[in-house]
């Protein structure tokens, strides 16, 4: 788990829009189950989001304090 406010979102993600229908489905899933459907992939050192922008948007929308993550290490 990682504090939501520690995640750094790269500019390329911020320039994209998530599909509203798919995003709403994830929001409904979280409200029903209490957790995200998948982990966010985060770069270990920089805390940059590597994968899971839709889940990031959902976590932000419903004001999650901590999110489940998997760390990616630079090769």
């Amino acid at each position: 788990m990682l504090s939501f406010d520690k995640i750094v979102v790269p500019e390329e993600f911020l320039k994209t829009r998530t599909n509203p229908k798919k995003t709403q489905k994830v929001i409904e899933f979280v409200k029903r189950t209490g957790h995200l459907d998948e982990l966010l992939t985060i770069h270990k050192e920089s805390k940059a989001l590597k994968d899971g922008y839709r889940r990031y948007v959902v976590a932000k929308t419903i004001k999650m304090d901590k999110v489940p993550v998997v760390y990616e290490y630079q090769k």
Side-chain angles (χ1 to χ4, degrees), residues 5-6 9 25 42 50 54 57 60-61 64 66 69 75:
D5 59 357
K6 299 231 186 264
V9 182
K25 283 185 179 185
I42 304 293
K50 303 298 279 178
R54 178 184 334 280
V57 169
K60 183 176 182 177
T61 300
M64 294 179 79
K66 293 187 177 199
V69 300
K75 299 171 186 171

Side-chain angles (χ1 to χ4, degrees), residues 17-53:
R17 295 183 132 201
T18 59
N19 178 305
K21 287 183 180 182
K22 290 181 180 180
T23 301
Q24 187 59 41
K25 283 185 179 185
V26 177
I27 289 171
E28 290 168 6
F29 178 86
V30 172
K31 286 182 177 179
R32 195 170 59 251
T33 66
H35 58 82
L36 290 173
D37 58 342
E38 291 183 48
L39 305 175
L40 284 86
T41 303
I42 304 293
H43 185 270
K44 179 67 175 173
E45 288 82 30
S46 68
K47 304 294 186 266
L49 182 68
K50 303 298 279 178
D51 188 44
Y53 184 59

